[in-house]
Amino acid sequence: MTLRQLLAGLALLTPCFISAQKQVTISGYVKDATSGEALIGANVYVKETMRGAATNVYGYYVLNVDPGTHTVAMSYIGYEDFTKNLTLSADLKLNIEARPKAILAKEVEIVGERKQENTEDTRMGTVDLDVQRLQTLPALLGEVDILKTIQFLPGVQNNGEGNSGFYVRGGGPDQNLILLDNATVYNASHLFGFFSVFNADAVKNIELIKGGMPANYGGRISSVLDINMKEGNEKAFHAQGGIGLIASRLTIEGPIVKDKASFIVSGRRTYIDVLTKPFINKSSPFAGSGYYFYDLNAKANYTFSDKDRLFVSGYFGRDVFSLQNGDSGGPGFRIPWGNSTLSVRWNHVFGPKLFLNTTATFSDYSFLFDASQDQFRFKLFSGIKDYGLKADLGHYPNGRHRLKYGAQYIYHVYTTSTVDVSSGDTQFNIDTPPKLHAHESAVYALDEIDLTDALRINLGLRFSRFDHVGPYTRYIVDESGRSVGKEEIAPGAPIHTYQALEPRISLRYRTGRTSSIKASFNQGQQYVHLASFSSTALPTDVWIPSSTRVKPQVGTQYAAGYFRNFLDDLIEASVEGYYKDFKNLIEYADGASPQDNGNTNYDQQLVFGKGYNYGAELFVKKRTGKLTGWVGYTWSRTMRSFPDINNGSEFPSRWDRRHDLSIVATYEHNKRWTFGGAFVYATGQAVTIPVNRYFVEGQLVSEYTERNGYRMVPFHRLDLSATLNGRETREVKDPATGETKVVPKKLVSSWNFGVYNAYNRQNPYFIYFDTAGNPNDGSFQVVAKQVSLFSILPSITWNFKF
């Protein structure tokens, strides 16, 4: 950039900052008056100009206004409106305590008294979920599941019956950045994918970003699922929980120092193992077998002053699956896996226009498969640990600029598939597995600018860098794959470095009071891959970092859409089209197995390719009233191309779905009864199956379709639920006056009744092939058989709070 260009740019910006110097600032926090919880996305604005700002994830807002008399208002669905008349000549700190209210069926909000987020925001493909609404939706065996709920959204697909893994706009499960209080969660599933690790009782806010990813997020190329835990009630002690058919949960929260510090602890455990134990005879070969999972969320915060606040939160969860064969000498195995996360965050307000959040994080995911038979023992282990530090600054120089900039650093330690084999006292001589070490860093800056009242642009740029470093052992293998030597790399020594600029841009052009056009472009670099031997996300999948041979994934997405609100903002609607391009994707080579490397080079079994996805999404949502819900439809095509797979020909991805439809509804019949329903339909999964089988010299030979050349039958299912709320008040008679008063009950409970797969659809989970007859008499035939997981599944859960 020349000096002349720089001076011209400064000249353009000068009017903005001159006007900022003439203005005064109103800033503060918006909190729930009954609990002290920060309200995320509350709209604070000046009535005279209708200009405002939404609170950030910590409830902080900033308004820049001209000196004089103004009416400041706050609106947030489910809370009473707040207004205050102010005469301003200097900066003002204004903290707002919002009081909850019941949303009435006939309530219609006044246009302009809340931010029309659907049409005003520059964000595309972004959805915020109401956690309280999740409690009334149908759930598998009564367990409310965040990940299954987002699968009802357009552009988000599941991977079969009951699976909580999700796939966004043609991307794989590794391309989703899942954050819990800013810490990365690498495996978000319990029970081999049937339940997610997130306990809804401990969750405060859920945001899914499918397109137009802002520059403050990185490391993944498909989506961001940003989940924030509750902070804990700083006014009074409360507890809530539930008892279901397979699991129970309990959450306790309250003040440590009233109005200054609070905590929340939430735990959950299944008891399938406990319920089945009495029915398994001690002499049974399966005595001692079982499965259970548990998780624990905890968080505490302390407010030092209006300028400083500290948060500490953590998650710990484990699945344990075991199969024992008693004294029969048969095979037995034990499979524990799970996540641990820790986040320490410090908020500091330097001034009304500058907000800092500094976060230190730790993430740990580990998987162990331990199998034995007689004296033979086989172990397979993999895992990943992250140590991270991040600083994010929010800067609000004036009413037309909202800036964010920051930096991030993560130290990764990867353990790829590690094999240990022994027989009695004999330990097989297998090469010592290398741990992989890497440094990942990034800096970013973005500015959301109101160029005019109609045109808003979010410009962002992210620079990322990945350094694969020692210690590392590179094994030298011969043509047969046997290790014949090795090269030792010293600790900290550079092995390979990747770096990239990642541009992000999104814009909104308002075409009317209730409509807008949006467009976005973003490019990202992802330095970690998930290598899978299955079409389903399983704990056996291995996280593999970029290296000399494994290049970073590169994702580029273009999107555009039309957004419109109807009936005084009662209904939101949008149509989006997009195109995504993927480079440097990985797959295991045909016929590869986890143990094949024998702890040598982890990348030896991999093959590399590219892919693309394009599609259109329709989304219609009704926000308030007795009947709420949404309809989402996606038409898309997802293709892959690998030189070493399918003879180099293009083939459908395992996540290719031509049609995907979701209908979700909640109906509040009265204060006690609420009904919910969800219907899903999706094109059948693409799979590879044998199309012919014949005998050659007495051996059965199979001839297969092209890669993913066969479609299973379409998937569809209807789930229903009903919630009966207990009475929240009771009548008591005053012994002194004899008057009857209505007072709140200390214990409030509800019953949730659910039916999963209401019309008993036999959806295919997988297809296998069996043989029948005798080839010698010509009666031999191959028969395809379908395995389905769930028929009609009723559930009942008792929920309580006090």
Side-chain angles (χ1 to χ4, degrees):
M1 179 181 287
T2 65
L3 178 61
R4 186 174 183 178
Q5 290 173 320
L6 178 62
L7 291 174
L10 290 173
L12 289 173
L13 291 175
T14 299
C16 298
F17 287 95
I18 289 175
S19 66
Q21 293 170 0
K22 296 178 180 178
Q23 293 183 316
V24 294
T25 300
I26 307 170
S27 62
Y29 294 90
V30 179
K31 295 184 178 183
D32 185 308
T34 61
S35 67
E37 287 273 359
L39 297 186
I40 302 171
N43 185 31
V44 186
Y45 60 97
V46 176
K47 277 195 169 184
E48 288 77 9
T49 63
M50 296 309 299
R51 288 189 173 276
T55 56
N56 67 11
V57 72
Y58 302 100
Y60 187 75
Y61 74 94
V62 175
L63 296 178
N64 291 287
V65 299
D66 295 325
T69 300
H70 302 278
T71 303
V72 175
M74 186 283 303
S75 64
Y76 196 68
I77 290 181
Y79 288 80
E80 295 178 0
D81 292 339
F82 169 90
T83 58
K84 189 168 186 176
N85 294 319
L86 300 170
T87 300
L88 300 170
S89 58
D91 293 346
L92 175 69
K93 175 75 70 174
L94 178 63
N95 293 329
I96 300 172
E97 290 199 342
R99 299 195 172 277
K101 68 173 181 180
I103 300 180
L104 302 178
K106 297 181 180 179
E107 174 185 327
V108 178
E109 296 178 350
I110 299 172
V111 175
E113 294 217 336
R114 69 176 179 85
K115 187 176 181 180
Q116 298 168 328
E117 191 174 42
N118 181 50
T119 58
E120 290 291 299
D121 209 303
T122 58
R123 299 181 303 170
M124 294 187 65
T126 301
V127 180
D128 295 305
L129 290 179
D130 183 350
V131 180
Q132 290 185 347
R133 284 287 182 188
L134 302 187
Q135 308 285 347
T136 61
L137 294 179
L140 176 61
L141 294 174
E143 283 298 300
V144 175
D145 196 315
I146 291 170
L147 296 191
K148 282 194 177 63
T149 302
I150 68 171
Q151 292 173 4
F152 293 137
L153 300 171
V156 184
Q157 299 166 344
N158 63 32
N159 197 43
E161 187 76 88
N163 197 287
S164 64
F166 66 100
Y167 310 87
V168 178
R169 290 184 173 177
D174 59 323
Q175 295 173 358
N176 304 316
L177 178 62
I178 302 177
L179 300 173
L180 181 63
D181 277 355
N182 282 357
T184 304
V185 177
Y186 280 94
N187 187 302
S189 299
H190 284 307
L191 191 55
F192 300 101
F194 292 115
F195 300 104
S196 76
V197 300
F198 303 111
N199 182 351
D201 288 351
V203 172
K204 173 183 178 181
N205 183 68
I206 308 164
E207 182 181 57
L208 175 68
I209 303 173
K210 300 178 294 180
M213 189 185 301
N216 53 308
Y217 293 107
R220 300 294 187 274
I221 59 175
S222 273
S223 75
V224 177
L225 182 64
D226 197 352
I227 300 173
N228 290 284
M229 289 172 55
K230 293 178 181 177
E231 297 159 8
N233 194 312
E234 62 180 30
K235 306 288 186 180
F237 288 95
H238 290 281
Q240 69 178 72
I243 300 174
L245 293 178
I246 66 165
S248 290
R249 63 192 191 278
L250 178 64
T251 300
I252 301 173
E253 59 181 326
I256 300 172
V257 179
K258 192 172 182 180
D259 296 327
K260 202 174 185 69
S262 62
F263 77 94
I264 183 171
V265 177
S266 185
R268 178 176 58 162
R269 190 193 192 279
T270 59
Y271 29 71
I272 304 172
D273 55 325
V274 178
L275 294 178
T276 58
K277 189 174 182 180
F279 301 99
I280 301 178
N281 196 294
K282 292 183 179 180
S283 61
S284 168
F286 298 103
S289 301
Y291 168 82
Y292 64 91
F293 73 74
Y294 62 90
D295 44 41
L296 178 69
N297 297 78
K299 187 171 183 177
N301 71 88
Y302 188 87
T303 303
F304 294 93
S305 66
D306 280 345
K307 291 189 173 184
D308 293 281
R309 193 173 185 184
L310 182 70
F311 302 82
V312 180
S313 60
Y315 167 84
F316 182 82
R318 282 292 179 272
D319 288 66
V320 179
F321 179 48
S322 60
L323 175 65
Q324 304 296 331
N325 268 286
D327 299 326
S328 65
F333 57 83
R334 186 173 181 270
I335 311 177
W337 75 93
N339 300 275
S340 304
T341 69
L342 177 66
S343 300
V344 180
R345 294 184 287 177
W346 170 53
N347 291 169
H348 179 69
V349 180
F350 286 102
K353 298 182 180 182
L354 192 60
F355 183 93
L356 169 69
N357 179 58
T358 304
T359 308
T361 60
F362 169 76
S363 296
D364 178 32
Y365 169 69
S366 62
F367 164 80
L368 173 65
F369 177 87
D370 187 355
S372 62
Q373 183 173 8
D374 297 327
Q375 293 188 354
F376 180 80
R377 191 164 190 176
F378 172 84
K379 288 184 180 181
L380 181 68
F381 174 82
S382 66
I384 180 171
K385 289 184 179 180
D386 284 352
Y387 306 84
L389 186 64
K390 187 180 182 184
D392 299 283
L393 279 160
H395 186 198
Y396 314 90
N398 57 57
R400 290 193 176 270
H401 287 265
R402 293 161 294 279
L403 293 94
K404 287 184 181 179
Y405 35 87
Q408 183 177 17
Y409 167 77
I410 304 174
Y411 176 57
H412 301 284
V413 181
Y414 302 88
T415 303
T416 56
S417 291
T418 303
V419 179
D420 182 49
V421 183
S422 63
S423 180
D425 296 329
T426 303
Q427 189 79 23
F428 288 84
N429 185 18
I430 300 178
D431 294 304
T432 302
K435 285 190 175 182
L436 309 177
H437 303 260
H439 304 283
E440 184 175 355
S441 55
V443 293
Y444 75 88
L446 67 87
D447 187 4
E448 189 171 72
I449 314 163
D450 289 332
L451 292 180
T452 68
D453 287 343
L455 181 60
R456 175 179 292 176
I457 299 180
N458 189 313
L459 289 170
L461 185 64
R462 185 180 181 92
F463 173 77
S464 62
R465 178 184 171 106
F466 186 86
D467 296 279
H468 182 200
V469 299
Y472 180 64
T473 303
R474 166 64 70 175
Y475 290 92
I476 303 170
V477 297
D478 59 19
E479 293 182 357
S480 66
R482 295 181 58 187
S483 174
V484 295
K486 57 185 179 181
E487 176 189 2
E488 298 287 352
I489 298 173
I495 298 174
H496 204 91
T497 296
Y498 293 97
Q499 57 189 26
L501 282 173
E502 304 175 21
R504 317 281 175 87
I505 180 171
S506 58
L507 62 88
R508 175 230 67 199
Y509 183 77
R510 190 188 297 128
T511 56
R513 184 178 60 84
T514 59
S515 62
S516 64
I517 296 171
K518 301 181 187 181
S520 69
F521 165 81
N522 67 78
Q523 189 172 76
Q525 196 107 327
Q526 179 172 328
Y527 300 104
V528 64
H529 306 250
L530 187 66
S532 176
F533 291 97
S534 167
S535 63
T536 302
L538 293 174
T540 50
D541 298 344
V542 179
W543 290 94
I544 293 176
S546 297
S547 64
T548 305
R549 187 166 182 264
V550 181
K551 296 180 180 179
Q553 300 182 67
V554 180
T556 306
Q557 180 173 203
Y558 311 83
Y562 178 68
F563 297 75
R564 186 179 180 92
N565 292 354
F566 298 91
L567 302 176
D568 290 333
D569 302 321
L570 185 66
I571 295 176
E572 297 178 354
S574 64
V575 178
E576 293 186 46
Y578 62 89
Y579 177 86
K580 291 177 73 172
D581 179 76
F582 304 101
K583 296 179 181 177
N584 305 327
L585 303 176
I586 71 168
E587 292 277 0
Y588 276 115
D590 289 336
S593 299
Q595 68 273 14
D596 288 349
N597 283 336
N599 292 346
T600 57
N601 301 330
Y602 67 93
D603 53 12
Q604 206 65 37
Q605 302 168 283
L606 303 176
V607 295
F608 307 94
K610 60 183 179 180
Y612 64 87
N613 168 260
Y614 58 85
E617 298 171 2
L618 170 68
F619 188 56
V620 179
K621 178 181 179 181
K622 186 173 183 292
R623 296 178 60 95
T624 60
K626 278 185 171 291
L627 178 66
T628 58
W630 68 81
V631 176
Y633 171 74
T634 305
W635 182 95
S636 65
R637 189 165 187 252
T638 306
M639 303 299 289
R640 296 288 187 262
S641 176
F642 284 73
D644 299 303
I645 297 176
N646 204 45
N647 298 317
S649 299
E650 186 177 85
F651 59 91
S653 164
R654 70 186 72 166
W655 307 297
D656 180 49
R657 304 281 194 279
R658 199 67 68 244
H659 304 283
D660 201 307
L661 171 69
S662 299
I663 303 173
V664 178
T666 301
Y667 178 73
E668 187 176 349
H669 178 64
N670 53 41
K671 288 186 177 181
R672 300 204 63 191
W673 280 102
T674 301
F675 301 95
F679 173 78
V680 292
Y681 174 92
T683 301
Q685 186 175 346
V687 295
T688 306
I689 63 170
V691 289
N692 286 308
R693 283 187 172 179
Y694 45 86
F695 283 92
V696 177
E697 298 180 353
Q699 298 292 322
L700 184 63
V701 178
S702 297
E703 180 183 340
Y704 287 86
T705 64
E706 291 188 340
R707 185 69 169 249
N708 295 337
Y710 176 81
R711 288 281 177 181
M712 290 187 182
V713 298
F715 176 99
H716 52 87
R717 191 188 72 241
L718 173 67
D719 304 330
L720 300 171
S721 70
T723 302
L724 174 61
N725 296 304
R727 300 186 185 278
E728 298 186 359
T729 60
R730 62 187 179 94
E731 294 182 350
V732 296
K733 183 175 287 188
D734 189 323
T737 63
E739 294 181 358
T740 300
K741 297 181 179 179
V742 178
V743 297
K745 295 177 68 174
K746 292 183 178 180
L747 174 66
V748 178
S749 64
S750 65
W751 289 92
N752 182 273
F753 308 93
V755 179
Y756 184 88
N757 195 9
Y759 55 81
N760 197 26
R761 165 70 174 176
Q762 297 299 302
N763 287 302
Y765 189 61
F766 64 84
I767 296 174
Y768 74 96
F769 293 83
D770 200 2
T771 58
N774 190 329
N776 296 324
D777 59 15
S779 63
F780 178 84
Q781 60 179 343
V782 178
V783 181
K785 296 185 177 181
Q786 173 183 302
V787 174
S788 300
L789 281 185
F790 303 123
S791 57
I792 297 177
L793 280 179
S795 65
I796 181 171
T797 304
W798 180 61
N799 298 303
F800 61 89
K801 59 182 178 180
F802 56 87

